[in-house]
Amino acid sequence: MPPRGRAVNDSLTPENLTTLAAALAEGRRATVYLREPNPSLGLPDGTSAKVVSIDGNTVTISPKGVNDELPYEAEELRITRNPATPPAPAKRIPAKKTASTAPVSKPAVAPKSSPSSTQTTASAPTTPSASTTASTSSAAPTSVPVTAAAAKPAAAGAASTGSAPRRPKKAPGGVSVTIHAGADNDWSVTVTQGAKRPSKAQPVSPESVSRAVRELGDVTARDAVEAVISHAREEAARRVAELSRQLEEARTTLAALEQDV
């Protein structure tokens, strides 16, 4: 089984970002495509999106079918609708097995002779040519299994390196918490994560804000919050005094009217 090709990174390159920024500057439409689906919005991968703005590596887009502007990182988008396909791996040509062709010499047959000549032939040592030929023919076949054994680890190594490395998960961006005090002593908090849009303001009580700021231990923040709350408290006391005065006047007027009747 041939090894699989490595995954191709087809995300937006710095050159793509420069081209898209130039198109926006000229008033032309710039389009990109999602590399991964967004199930929460019902967007499959390959969905086209209009580029609204580019800030560094963050691209604000308006996907097709979504009436909103969303920030995306460059590695989450690509310049083409379909993902790039990796090049086909080169076919591996197996090595041909070569069989040994070393000749095997037949032992020489001693001719029949007289008893004296037979004794001489039996005591004669083996000729060097016969010994060399026998050792060569016995050692030659060992080259075939060595070639086959070396081919198996090479194929296993090629298969193990075919899988693409997993991309590490991106670290989450920073978080900003903003506390806002209104003119009527109404407090709210918003949260901003990374380059995303701020969340909807959530109302909170002045007591919880004062308690949270005291827990932080920042003197400047504590004094600023206490000054706003103290001013609101004084305004409320002044309003109560004014309403009490008006109520007393109304009671006096009512008492006088009742005496005349």
Side-chain angles (χ1 to χ4, degrees):
M1 179 179 179
R4 295 179 298 172
R6 293 184 178 272
V8 177
N9 184 7
D10 56 355
S11 59
L12 295 182
T13 63
E15 292 77 10
N16 296 147
L17 295 176
T18 302
T19 303
L20 294 172
L24 292 178
E26 297 173 2
R28 293 186 288 108
R29 178 184 176 88
T31 305
V32 293
Y33 302 88
L34 303 184
R35 293 188 63 202
E36 297 180 356
N38 190 332
S40 61
L41 298 178
L43 301 177
D45 61 328
T47 300
S48 62
K50 177 183 177 182
V51 178
V52 179
S53 63
I54 300 176
D55 183 9
N57 205 41
T58 302
V59 183
T60 302
I61 62 174
S62 178
K64 182 179 180 181
V66 177
N67 189 20
D68 197 2
E69 297 177 359
L70 306 174
Y72 273 74
E73 297 300 321
E75 56 265 23
E76 298 175 323
L77 305 170
R78 58 172 175 257
I79 200 68
T80 58
R81 181 182 298 274
N82 299 321
T85 55
K91 294 183 178 180
R92 183 181 180 85
I93 302 176
K96 295 182 179 180
K97 297 180 179 181
T98 56
S100 174
T101 56
V104 180
S105 60
K106 296 181 179 180
V109 179
K112 294 181 179 181
S113 59
S114 59
S116 60
S117 62
T118 301
Q119 183 178 1
T120 305
T121 303
S123 60
T126 306
T127 60
S129 60
S131 175
T132 304
T133 304
S135 62
T136 304
S137 61
S138 62
T142 59
S143 61
V144 176
V146 170
T147 304
K152 290 181 179 179
S160 63
T161 57
S163 59
R166 295 182 62 184
R167 186 176 62 182
K169 292 184 178 180
K170 183 181 177 181
V175 177
S176 300
V177 179
T178 304
I179 300 174
H180 177 74
D184 297 331
N185 198 31
D186 51 340
W187 295 76
S188 61
V189 61
T190 58
V191 179
T192 305
Q193 185 174 5
K196 296 182 179 179
R197 299 177 63 181
S199 64
K200 184 178 179 180
Q202 299 295 330
V204 292
S205 63
E207 295 78 7
S208 62
V209 173
S210 178
R211 184 168 55 253
V213 172
R214 286 197 302 269
E215 290 292 336
L216 291 176
D218 186 275
V219 178
T220 303
R222 184 194 62 192
D223 293 345
V225 171
E226 291 297 335
V228 174
I229 295 177
S230 177
H231 177 73
R233 188 183 300 111
E234 293 174 359
E235 286 294 321
R238 185 189 64 79
R239 181 63 175 164
V240 168
E242 178 66 20
L243 292 176
S244 298
R245 185 185 63 79
Q246 294 178 5
L247 179 61
E248 187 63 28
E249 291 179 355
R251 286 176 177 175
T252 303
T253 303
L254 179 60
L257 292 174
E258 288 178 349
Q259 290 177 359
D260 293 340
V261 172

